[in-house]
Amino acid sequence: MIVPTRQRRRLLLPAVTLTALGLATTQALAAPSATPDPRPHQAQHQGEVGTKHAKKVRGGGTTAGPAFTAKADAPGEDGGDEAENSAEGTAQYTEARTAPGVVAPGAYGAAWAQLQSMPRTGGSWDHVTDKPYDSDDPRYRDVNSNSSGGSGYVTGRITGIAADDDGYVYAGGANGGVFRSRTGGGQWQSISDKLPSLSTGTLDLDGSGRLWYATGESNTGATSYVGTGVYVLPDPKHGEFQPGMRVGGAELESTIIHALRFGGGKVWAATSRGVWSHSATALSGPWTLEFAPNPEYLPGGSKAGDPAAPYKNIANDIAIDPKDPGKVVLAVGWRGGDTYNGFYGKAADGTWQRVGALGDLPTDAANVGNVTFAVSADGSRYYAIDQSPAVMASDPDTGLKGIYVSKSGSPFGPWTQIADKDKLKNSGSALQDEGYQPGIQAWYNQSLQVDPADPDHVYAGLEEVLETKNGGSTWTVPGPYWNFGFPCWSIDPAKQTGDCSQTTHSDQHAVAFGRYKGKTSVYVGNDGGIYSRPVNGAADASGHATDWKSLGDGTIDTLQYYSVGVGKDPADRSGRGVIVSGGLQDNGQSILRAHDKVMGSNFGGDGADTLVDPNNGCNIAEEYVYLDMWVTQNCAVNNGGWKTDPAKATSYEVAPPDKDTSAARFIAPITSDPKDVNTWIAGGRHVWVQHKGYAIRSGSEWTSAYDLGAGHVATAVATVDGTVYAGWCGPCNNVGFSRGIAVGKTDGTGWHQLDLPVDGTLPNRYISSFSVDEKDARHVLVAFNGFSRTWTEGPGAGVGHLFETHDGGATWTDISANLPDVPATSVKVLPNGGLALGTDLAAFYRAPGETDFRVLGRNLPTTAVQQLKIGPDGKLYAATFGRGIWSFDLRRLGHGRYDEQDD
């Protein structure tokens, strides 16, 4: 449907969430489970040629941290914005992996170690999404697409970049590992797949050319993962990372690493557990804890089990005086605010003390949050970005305190403010057209680097790419948020992006400078991948760059998929070709048709769950977030007519009434009956049913089969022949977590809650997936997220990840057998009677008649498998959260045990 009017909604602060893959504590402090993400991103085309996009921005919820309170606006509004991943979406992603309690460090490492000794089946996985992904594909410029925004080729979030003067560029995916280019960007090769963690905190080249890889994504949003420490690759131009290249011991395992800094022969690490240091030459021996403001909250401390523990020792960056490495300033503090937030320096007695004054750069706890430093190559300038918890709590449109410079080159200043949100807003920002200010997500978006040839030339990253060539006196925005609000923009597919130049994707996380064939370029990493331009590139009269180049050429795949769907391609004459589609973090919905050489994006915003008609892959149902569902019956290919006639739209909003922050999960479950593609189930507070399939045109066509109860929301749904299973949680936070399973009929009869006591057979953890026997709906498998009680301190955490019932849920049997203790995400009964299970570590297979599992195939990267689906081509498809979509030909497994055994 066409959005008739421009929508404006006030935004809220991020949920208080620290990243964890069952390794670090995660807790939403003083925040309900419905706090949205402050980013204005979802575009909706209007019904007239040339009119501006209306955005969908979620309102509602309350606080953002233990110390400050946000202003709420319009609770329960539908919609949201494209990058909600980093607030409520990320909080819920972590809840699923940690509830009902605190997860001890080492859980993931233990599971990975067990994986190494497990046998494998024969066969290999094939990489499906190894093609460029065009977010501006003109084929899909319809109602619910962001096409023509200007981001071009995208991949998943890039959180670390390093580059040298010989054309080598290294890019780190949020959960995709490290990729190397020998050509100044492009023709990428993965070089870290043998490591136990592919989560990127930062990448750095030191003075001797070694590449340092800090694992543990440096964003305190829960779609990121903690890491297993810091690794050093001595010869990055030729080698690959190996587990034995880890620096020190296990001290930094299960942490987030925000920054690595070098000085005085040491490497310093700013982590979620304080500031650590290590010799930069002798790489063995343990890391030294330099400073933790609240050490009693660290693992082993007297308050380690406190729900606030994850937020009590966060260090964001380190500034080392290039003229005197003994002078160091630590930027420490939780983005939502805490009494320990501030800058710290070493006193004469060797202790770390608060720095009282730094000039314009604030030092009080209320105004020091997420901080990024950068020093010029000649040591004459230090720069800093400061996000303020107080500003974030009081101003719904920004969290930025300012950008600052120390012209003495000392981290102790004096510092002078060179930009605030108003100065940046008036420098060509695209955000002001949307009613927001630069820095609205400064708690999540920060990058900063100084041109090595010019100490007054600086690239800064917030939501947009910013640039100053005169030390901050004036600024431009070479990488605006998008092009929709500019006079140059045109929706006409024939004009591609009109007269607007390509920009970068939004939400900046990394920046670096490098040279290739004698020319210097700047590289930026963001939620859409990696882009480059000449360091002193061309720009239009507004200061918007005209020479950005996307480096997402398809050889780098860090796409973070929540879901996947597969159906026959009606345009394929052979009858064998398929369409593969999936929902992505911050990169909409991808579509890959049978003979495409480039993927397209037919829905914008965040992509969530997906339904694809196996008999006609152009019939697609896409969930935006919170059950905001859209449907197309022509792959969402635009026909041009809708520009002047809304009735000619090819995408339709069909969200059930639970399209609401309080009535559905951020990624809410939807499914169809495998024996009747026209029967759909959607889970929010209610279990919704509709029988029109892809011909549905309105949310009013859903009926409520069952009310799960106040405060309860569905986490998984499945149906066969009119019988429905719905897993739910509520509360879904660690504190007070509860879960259940409701069973009933699509016609609303026979509904009841199964008896699942906390101390019973089934764990009191997040229910992630069902698989119902198509021959007998009383035969069901259920998968559980999180870690067992070995690692989880919480009521009823239980043991096991996969359970089976033959009597409709009256009794259950644990069939986890030899599975590693790691979050399980998706279970499928295969056509041969075997089982496939996706986890946060790998995919596993149990053959018919067997009890133990094997690792399923080879080549699948060690990253989270979010969803498994069987395609009409006989292949199993895996949506991974960091390395795209992969497929496995199930015929390789045969009908017995293991046709292609490979131990």
Side-chain angles (χ1 to χ4, degrees):
M1 63 181 292
I2 301 298
V3 178
T5 57
R6 187 178 182 86
Q7 302 178 44
R8 289 193 184 275
R9 295 285 183 265
R10 289 224 165 178
L11 298 167
L12 294 183
L13 306 180
V16 181
T17 306
L18 187 60
T19 329
L21 173 58
L23 297 169
T25 315
T26 304
Q27 185 71 39
L29 298 177
S33 185
T35 307
D37 168 54
R39 277 190 283 181
H41 215 75
Q42 169 69 0
Q44 297 259 348
H45 296 319
Q46 296 286 13
E48 295 182 340
V49 178
T51 56
K52 294 181 179 179
H53 284 41
K55 67 183 187 306
K56 300 193 296 181
V57 180
R58 176 172 301 283
T62 54
T63 102
F68 302 103
T69 304
K71 294 181 179 179
D73 196 57
E77 290 291 343
D78 62 283
D81 63 64
E82 180 174 342
E84 270 184 315
N85 63 299
S86 56
E88 178 58 9
T90 60
Q92 293 189 10
Y93 191 88
T94 292
E95 287 172 359
R97 285 153 175 79
T98 58
V102 175
V103 178
Y108 184 85
W112 186 82
Q114 183 180 344
L115 175 72
Q116 306 314 300
S117 62
M118 290 185 67
R120 292 178 180 267
T121 71
S124 295
W125 289 85
D126 297 316
H127 193 181
V128 176
T129 52
D130 58 347
K131 294 173 174 61
Y133 177 26
D134 187 1
S135 67
D136 283 325
D137 193 324
R139 294 176 293 174
Y140 307 107
R141 197 156 296 174
D142 201 19
V143 180
N144 202 34
S145 167
N146 277 352
S147 179
S148 78
S151 295
Y153 286 179
V154 296
T155 186
R157 189 161 67 233
I158 295 294
T159 51
I161 304 175
D164 64 17
D165 290 338
D166 297 323
Y168 285 80
V169 183
Y170 308 92
N175 196 38
V178 183
F179 289 79
R180 172 177 59 212
S181 170
R182 295 183 169 95
T183 58
Q187 301 177 28
W188 300 94
Q189 173 192 10
S190 58
I191 60 172
S192 63
D193 282 359
K194 295 180 180 179
L195 296 183
S197 173
L198 301 185
S199 174
T200 300
T202 189
L203 288 171
D204 289 276
L205 286 166
D206 65 15
S208 61
R210 297 177 298 177
L211 181 63
W212 293 69
Y213 179 33
T215 62
E217 187 189 341
S218 55
N219 296 309
T220 50
T223 56
S224 51
Y225 288 78
V226 295
T228 54
V230 176
Y231 299 82
V232 174
L233 184 55
D235 182 12
K237 293 181 179 179
H238 304 98
E240 295 186 15
F241 284 101
Q242 305 289 337
M245 295 176 177
R246 188 167 74 173
V247 179
E251 299 80 24
L252 301 189
E253 183 174 342
S254 307
T255 64
I256 297 164
I257 301 178
H258 296 267
L260 294 179
R261 302 296 182 185
F262 300 87
K266 295 195 294 185
V267 56
W268 295 67
T271 82
S272 53
R273 295 183 186 159
V275 177
W276 299 71
S277 72
H278 198 282
S279 167
T281 53
L283 303 183
S284 60
W287 288 78
T288 299
L289 177 61
E290 293 280 355
F291 176 65
N294 298 291
E296 65 274 19
Y297 289 94
L298 293 175
S302 61
K303 296 183 179 180
D306 192 299
Y311 316 107
K312 290 298 186 179
N313 289 288
I314 295 174
N316 295 296
D317 210 344
I318 303 145
I320 302 171
D321 192 327
K323 303 180 184 70
D324 183 356
K327 296 180 179 178
V328 180
V329 171
L330 312 179
V332 178
W334 166 234
R335 69 189 187 196
D338 205 324
T339 55
Y340 75 89
N341 284 31
F343 295 102
Y344 293 79
K346 186 166 285 189
D349 63 359
T351 61
W352 293 94
Q353 302 293 331
R354 283 184 181 273
V355 178
L358 290 171
D360 290 349
L361 184 61
T363 58
D364 60 301
N367 282 301
V368 180
N370 186 21
V371 172
T372 300
F373 290 119
V375 64
S376 62
D378 65 359
S380 66
R381 299 284 190 275
Y382 241 110
Y383 294 88
I385 300 175
D386 177 34
Q387 167 261 329
S388 162
V391 171
M392 190 170 70
S394 61
D395 187 340
D397 293 331
T398 189
L400 179 68
K401 187 65 175 178
I403 304 178
Y404 304 83
V405 64
S406 169
K407 292 186 177 180
S408 69
S410 168
F412 286 91
W415 292 82
T416 303
Q417 188 175 49
I418 55 175
D420 59 12
K421 53 118 174 168
D422 292 320
K423 188 172 187 177
L424 299 176
K425 176 186 69 175
N426 296 321
S427 298
S429 171
L431 285 171
Q432 59 180 328
D433 181 68
E434 300 300 327
Y436 302 98
Q437 310 292 330
I440 189 171
Q441 292 185 161
W443 52 271
Y444 173 71
N445 302 320
Q446 281 195 25
S447 60
L448 189 64
Q449 199 65 263
V450 187
D451 182 347
D454 182 354
D456 288 326
H457 185 195
V458 180
Y459 275 86
L462 294 169
E463 297 72 41
E464 304 170 297
V465 180
L466 314 169
E467 182 182 17
T468 179
K469 294 185 177 182
N470 51 24
S473 296
T474 59
W475 291 83
T476 58
V477 184
Y481 199 77
W482 54 17
N483 286 326
F484 292 132
F486 299 141
C488 62
W489 174 78
S490 172
I491 190 57
D492 188 346
K495 295 183 179 179
Q496 300 283 329
T497 53
D499 297 325
C500 292
S501 301
Q502 291 292 106
T503 183
T504 73
H505 195 283
S506 58
D507 307 321
Q508 310 306 315
H509 302 296
V511 58
F513 293 89
R515 291 175 63 81
Y516 178 56
K517 294 184 176 180
K519 297 180 180 179
T520 302
S521 294
V522 61
Y523 299 88
V524 298
N526 47 52
D527 271 14
I530 181 169
Y531 298 75
S532 71
R533 69 182 292 243
V535 67
N536 288 297
D540 62 21
S542 299
H544 304 143
T546 61
D547 49 10
W548 284 111
K549 177 184 178 183
S550 170
L551 303 179
D553 61 0
T555 61
I556 182 172
D557 183 357
T558 58
L559 292 168
Q560 295 177 288
Y561 279 94
Y562 289 112
S563 62
V564 60
V566 188
K568 293 180 180 178
D569 190 341
D572 180 59
R573 294 181 179 179
S574 73
R576 296 187 299 272
V578 295
I579 291 172
V580 181
S581 186
L584 287 149
Q585 182 273 323
D586 208 9
N587 283 288
Q589 184 90 3
S590 72
I591 179 170
L592 177 64
R593 303 194 67 165
H595 302 290
D596 279 354
K597 298 186 182 303
V598 176
M599 292 194 298
S601 178
N602 58 354
F603 292 92
D606 273 276
D609 213 345
T610 302
L611 295 179
V612 175
D613 185 346
N615 300 311
N616 183 347
C618 275
N619 291 336
I620 302 171
E622 181 262 1
E623 179 193 0
Y624 173 38
V625 289
Y626 297 103
L627 277 187
D628 188 3
M629 292 176 62
W630 293 73
V631 67
T632 180
Q633 288 191 279
N634 77 334
C635 285
V637 173
N638 53 257
N639 57 17
W642 63 269
K643 292 184 292 179
T644 54
D645 183 358
K648 294 182 179 179
T650 59
S651 299
Y652 307 89
E653 187 175 26
V654 296
D658 275 357
K659 184 188 66 171
D660 183 289
T661 60
S662 63
R665 296 287 286 173
F666 181 76
I667 306 297
I670 59 177
T671 192
S672 62
D673 189 324
K675 300 171 72 173
D676 177 9
V677 297
N678 291 322
T679 294
W680 293 4
I681 308 296
R685 169 177 167 168
H686 297 80
V687 178
W688 296 97
V689 180
Q690 69 96 359
H691 298 285
K692 293 187 176 181
Y694 299 90
I696 187 174
R697 290 294 180 267
S698 168
S700 64
E701 297 173 81
W702 293 87
T703 59
S704 173
Y706 184 65
D707 184 347
L708 292 171
H712 296 169
V713 287
T715 61
V717 292
T719 183
V720 168
D721 283 339
T723 297
V724 182
Y725 292 83
W728 55 265
C729 64
C732 299
N733 285 334
N734 299 30
V735 178
F737 176 85
S738 67
R739 54 81 183 101
I741 298 175
V743 183
K745 297 293 185 179
T746 55
D747 63 5
T749 63
W751 279 91
H752 60 283
Q753 296 280 354
L754 298 182
D755 183 17
L756 304 179
V758 169
D759 58 351
T761 302
L762 296 185
N764 185 41
R765 303 201 308 272
Y766 186 94
I767 296 169
S768 58
S769 177
F770 294 102
S771 186
V772 184
D773 190 336
E774 294 183 29
K775 298 178 182 178
D776 178 7
R778 292 171 58 81
H779 179 203
V780 185
L781 299 168
V782 60
F784 283 81
N785 219 307
F787 289 86
S788 294
R789 64 178 176 228
T790 303
W791 302 102
T792 304
E793 295 294 333
V799 175
H801 294 273
L802 189 60
F803 294 80
E804 183 176 31
T805 180
H806 288 274
D807 52 20
T811 59
W812 295 89
T813 302
D814 184 353
I815 59 170
S816 305
N818 63 328
L819 286 170
D821 187 0
V822 70
T825 53
S826 185
V827 59
K828 284 293 174 188
V829 175
L830 302 181
N832 71 350
L835 299 180
L837 181 70
T839 74
D840 275 3
L841 189 68
F844 297 94
Y845 173 69
R846 192 189 76 178
E850 296 291 312
T851 56
D852 282 355
F853 288 81
R854 294 185 174 218
V855 180
L856 180 54
R858 296 191 176 276
N859 295 345
L860 188 67
T862 303
T863 189
V865 177
Q866 286 292 97
Q867 192 175 79
L868 295 173
K869 290 279 183 71
I870 300 173
D873 54 357
K875 295 180 180 179
L876 181 69
Y877 287 81
T880 75
F881 202 67
R883 289 294 287 273
I885 296 173
W886 296 70
S887 70
F888 185 91
D889 191 338
L890 293 173
R891 291 172 296 184
R892 296 168 180 168
L893 298 175
H895 299 284
R897 296 184 61 190
Y898 303 98
D899 279 11
E900 297 182 32
Q901 292 196 30
D902 187 356
D903 293 329

